[in-house]
Amino acid sequence: MSCCGSEGQRAGAAGQGAKALPEGLGAIASAVGAERIRFKGGRSHTGTKRPELPQDGEGILREHRLKPFEVEAVPVTNARFAAFVLATGYRTLAERFGWSTVFRGLLADPSSAPSGGGTTWWSAIDGACWYAPEGAGSDISARADHPVTHIAWEDAAAFCAWAGGRLPTEAEWEHAARGGLADPRFPWGDQEPDDTAFFPCNIFQGRFPEENTAADGWVGTSPVGSYAANGAGIFDMAGNVWEWTSEPFRIRSASRNAAARNEIAQREKQKLMKGGSFLCHISYCYRYRIASRLALAADSGGCNAGFRVFYDV
């Protein structure tokens, strides 16, 4: 269980069922696709020579030869996901389950919220889903340009198919995130974000999870493109929301320790996510680096789980 990824939707108690879509959803819907950035392919790699969390497999360098591909410059937004839902009638897993997990710091009254998601800072909220991110009474009317959240793996894959694209491989995602740099720690280079002056991406500031100073201006998600793009012109490859890939989580060089092998085996039943989210911080979840990796159950997807679309060319 990662400290900044929630899971266990299917394992929890049954929710109250999906609610009807809000009548005003059409007012924010926009099917206009994001700008696509093209990569010509060629030699690339996954992993880094400077791992911070080697137990995640990020220090295992693997060479790859990529075919040409395109990637959207920003994650999929609420507005675009609304257009998909209105066109297809699609219902996300969170809607079908009737609940999802929300970071307690986003709730108006966290003291009365039930726990859920594997740690004390997650709450299982009835009705929480992509169009009601904090449950009943919340909406996305003022967040059309924010990344869509509460997205499970199959939700992301369904949208990508509708859009004519797909989810990326880990190698494609890391290649795009580096933006032409050889082995940067972050999409912008190696300078470390801090809690006071340097805010290159949307991550947590303060003392997690009790105190969020929101020094960068955001408690939760931020509008896509709010921070500078990397060298290739791609935004939000660090922080804001975790992004699903097409791959299962794999660590190809396991410890000989039996307990470590068992933990790895459990994680390898899950899907791989990249990029970190607005809940990451160097003090507890240093996973907004390019080489960072998160294992998450495919049917999970809380308030910091999103995606972006890649394309074959």
Side-chain angles (χ1 to χ4, degrees), residues 169-238:
T169 66
E170 183 176 21
E172 289 171 332
W173 192 97
E174 288 197 12
H175 188 75
R178 288 191 289 268
L181 299 178
D183 184 23
R185 181 158 294 187
F186 309 105
W188 56 87
D190 288 332
Q191 184 178 354
E192 188 70 52
D194 58 39
D195 287 355
T196 57
F198 184 54
F199 308 120
C201 63
N202 182 7
I203 55 176
F204 197 92
Q205 291 94 45
R207 185 170 54 88
F208 186 88
E210 294 86 4
E211 178 190 9
N212 186 353
T213 67
D216 63 355
W218 303 103
V219 173
T221 58
S222 54
V224 300
S226 294
Y227 299 82
N230 70 0
I234 306 174
F235 299 86
D236 293 318
M237 294 297 269

Side-chain angles (χ1 to χ4, degrees), residues 249-265:
F249 184 89
R250 289 285 185 267
I251 297 179
R252 291 177 172 82
S253 178
S255 166
R256 294 181 180 180
N257 179 279
R261 288 199 303 271
N262 181 64
E263 180 183 353
I264 289 171

Side-chain angles (χ1 to χ4, degrees), residues 71-78 80-81 84 90 92 130 146-163 165-168 173 224 235-237 240-246 273-274 276 304-311:
V71 54
E72 294 193 349
V74 297
V76 173
T77 62
N78 285 315
R80 195 148 166 242
F81 199 81
F84 161 62
Y90 185 84
T92 62
W130 72 273
H146 287 229
V148 66
T149 58
H150 295 284
I151 299 297
W153 188 88
E154 70 178 61
D155 304 329
F159 179 98
C160 288
W162 174 76
R166 57 177 174 78
L167 292 171
W173 192 97
V224 300
F235 299 86
D236 293 318
M237 294 297 269
N240 217 1
V241 293
W242 282 102
E243 299 183 10
W244 290 105
T245 73
S246 62
M273 300 191 86
K274 300 287 287 185
N304 62 343
F307 69 104
R308 77 175 69 217
V309 187
F310 282 62
Y311 299 87

Side-chain angles (χ1 to χ4, degrees), residues 4-246:
C4 60
S6 66
E7 61 182 330
Q9 285 186 288
R10 197 176 294 277
Q16 298 177 351
K19 300 178 181 179
L21 289 173
E23 293 182 0
L25 195 62
I28 70 160
S30 173
V32 176
E35 178 188 3
R36 298 186 191 181
I37 308 299
R38 177 170 292 200
F39 290 88
K40 63 181 181 180
R43 295 181 61 186
S44 189
H45 72 276
T46 52
T48 179
K49 297 177 182 178
R50 300 174 292 170
E52 293 288 341
L53 298 171
Q55 67 270 26
D56 290 346
E58 63 185 42
I60 302 170
L61 281 170
R62 294 179 61 85
E63 297 293 326
H64 300 269
R65 182 164 290 278
L66 302 179
K67 295 180 179 179
F69 68 91
E70 291 181 340
V71 54
E72 294 193 349
V74 297
V76 173
T77 62
N78 285 315
R80 195 148 166 242
F81 199 81
F84 161 62
V85 169
L86 292 174
T88 65
Y90 185 84
R91 294 172 65 217
T92 62
L93 279 185
E95 292 171 82
R96 284 175 264 164
F97 294 158
W99 67 280
S100 187
T101 47
V102 180
F103 178 62
R104 296 174 76 86
L106 298 179
L107 300 173
D109 184 13
S111 63
S112 64
S115 63
T119 68
T120 58
W121 50 81
W122 289 106
S123 289
I125 302 296
D126 282 341
C129 65
W130 72 273
Y131 60 81
E134 293 82 49
S138 65
D139 62 62
I140 54 173
S141 59
R143 288 181 267 184
D145 57 351
H146 287 229
V148 66
T149 58
H150 295 284
I151 299 297
W153 188 88
E154 70 178 61
D155 304 329
F159 179 98
C160 288
W162 174 76
R166 57 177 174 78
L167 292 171
T169 66
E170 183 176 21
E172 289 171 332
W173 192 97
E174 288 197 12
H175 188 75
R178 288 191 289 268
L181 299 178
D183 184 23
R185 181 158 294 187
F186 309 105
W188 56 87
D190 288 332
Q191 184 178 354
E192 188 70 52
D194 58 39
D195 287 355
T196 57
F198 184 54
F199 308 120
C201 63
N202 182 7
I203 55 176
F204 197 92
Q205 291 94 45
R207 185 170 54 88
F208 186 88
E210 294 86 4
E211 178 190 9
N212 186 353
T213 67
D216 63 355
W218 303 103
V219 173
T221 58
S222 54
V224 300
S226 294
Y227 299 82
N230 70 0
I234 306 174
F235 299 86
D236 293 318
M237 294 297 269
N240 217 1
V241 293
W242 282 102
E243 299 183 10
W244 290 105
T245 73
S246 62

